[in-house]
């Protein structure tokens, strides 16, 4: 398995529409395994293919120690509304409150190409919606009020120099920092 580079805000792939997966192959399964490894290393609970520079319509999720992939996902039910804080591995250190459906049912294919449905509430519902948005070129900052979005973008302007070519490399230094912060809690 390998760690993948993460594309950050400004990289055009984050704004592109993804392509549905016609058939799930061993190459997709290798990509999925690499995405899980990258997500865990970056301390995320989800990661969508555009974030690693790919245009396949798939994302990996692990909110409650229950890892799964969603391929060609569709939200078939969305109900309720709730505001909550979100972050994004492609916009590090920027957070904002986003209103989302409080319960969703998502239909997708699994890593073997078999259809399944997953129901999400609370953080899983939020993560499913955040990842599915990535697959359609949408980012959580798009939902912020003009004022909050402007503040987020100003902060990003001061940080984006840390990401040459709009790529976040999970260097040994960043990994040590991410994992060290957790141990210190
Ligand atoms: O897609 C991504 O950028 C991953 C993102 C998913 C996400 C976070 C928060 C709410 C909805 C979706 C992250 O995992 S960012 C890391 C993070 O903020 C977080 C990690 C663990 C628990 C809660 C948030
Ligand atoms: Zn994200």
């Amino acid at each position: 398995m390998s760690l993948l580079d993460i594309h950050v805000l400004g990289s055009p792939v984050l704004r592109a529409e993804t392509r549905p997966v016609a058939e799930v192959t061993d190459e997709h399964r290798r990509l999925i395994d690499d995405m899980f490894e990258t997500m865990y290393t970056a301390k995320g609970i989800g990661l969508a293919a555009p974030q690693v520079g790919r245009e396949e319509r798939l994302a990996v999720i692990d909110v409650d120690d229950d890892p799964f992939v969603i391929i060609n996902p569709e939200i078939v039910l969305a109900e309720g509304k709730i505001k909550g804080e979100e972050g994004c591995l492609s916009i590090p250190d920027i957070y904002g409150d986003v209103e989302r459906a409080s319960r969703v049912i998502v239909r997708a294919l699994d890593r073997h190409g078999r259809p399944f449905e997953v129901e999400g509430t609370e953080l899983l519902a939020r993560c499913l919606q955040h990842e599915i948005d990535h697959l359609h070129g949408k980012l959580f900052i798009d939902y912020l009020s003009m004022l909050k979005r402007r503040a987020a973008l100003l902060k990003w302007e001061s940080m984006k120099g840390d990401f040459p070519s709009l790529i976040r490399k999970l260097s040994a230094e960043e990994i040590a920092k991410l994992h060290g912060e957790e141990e210190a809690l």
Side-chain angles (χ1 to χ4, degrees):
M1 281 200 283
S2 345
L3 277 185
L4 305 171
D5 290 342
I6 298 177
H7 288 240
V8 298
L9 185 62
S11 174
V13 70
L14 291 178
R15 291 305 191 174
E17 180 63 37
T18 50
R19 280 183 282 104
V21 174
E23 189 196 348
V24 185
T25 63
D26 285 343
E27 205 215 311
H28 291 112
R29 283 182 277 274
R30 274 192 293 276
L31 169 64
I32 290 162
D33 291 342
D34 289 346
M35 286 173 61
F36 271 119
E37 190 185 3
T38 305
M39 178 190 82
Y40 290 129
T41 303
K43 296 273 169 205
I45 53 172
L47 186 68
Q51 295 180 276
V52 293
R54 304 283 295 240
E55 293 191 350
E56 290 91 341
R57 190 165 298 165
L58 63 88
V60 298
I61 291 178
D62 187 356
V63 170
D64 299 314
D65 283 333
D66 177 19
F68 61 92
V69 60
I70 47 173
I71 302 173
N72 301 341
E74 279 175 60
I75 297 176
V76 294
L77 181 142
E79 65 178 28
K81 285 271 166 242
I82 188 160
K83 248 190 178 186
E85 191 173 69
E86 297 192 14
C88 182
L89 298 180
S90 294
I91 322 174
D93 293 330
I94 291 183
Y95 301 90
D97 281 342
V98 178
E99 186 172 86
R100 300 274 193 189
S102 55
R103 174 174 175 257
V104 292
I105 296 179
V106 170
R107 189 173 295 154
L109 302 179
D110 69 11
R111 64 183 285 130
H112 303 290
R114 296 180 300 229
F116 75 107
E117 283 188 359
V118 55
E119 178 186 342
T121 58
E122 302 178 0
L123 188 56
L124 179 56
R126 182 166 297 283
C127 189
L128 283 161
Q129 292 169 83
H130 180 113
E131 299 311 328
I132 292 170
D133 269 356
H134 271 302
L135 302 178
H136 301 291
K138 209 162 168 64
L139 301 172
F140 84 89
I141 54 166
D142 302 344
Y143 295 101
L144 302 181
S145 68
M146 216 187 341
L147 225 64
K148 289 193 172 152
R149 188 180 149 97
R150 201 174 287 165
L153 292 177
L154 257 175
K155 183 173 176 195
W156 180 248
E157 278 304 311
S158 71
M159 295 169 56
K160 74 175 188 201
D162 294 345
F163 305 101
S165 309
L166 299 174
I167 295 288
R168 176 181 177 193
K169 282 202 177 288
L170 292 169
S171 61
E173 195 189 348
E174 188 177 358
I175 294 167
K177 197 174 151 224
L178 281 165
H179 290 253
E181 273 170 5
E182 191 187 60
E183 274 152 30
L185 288 176

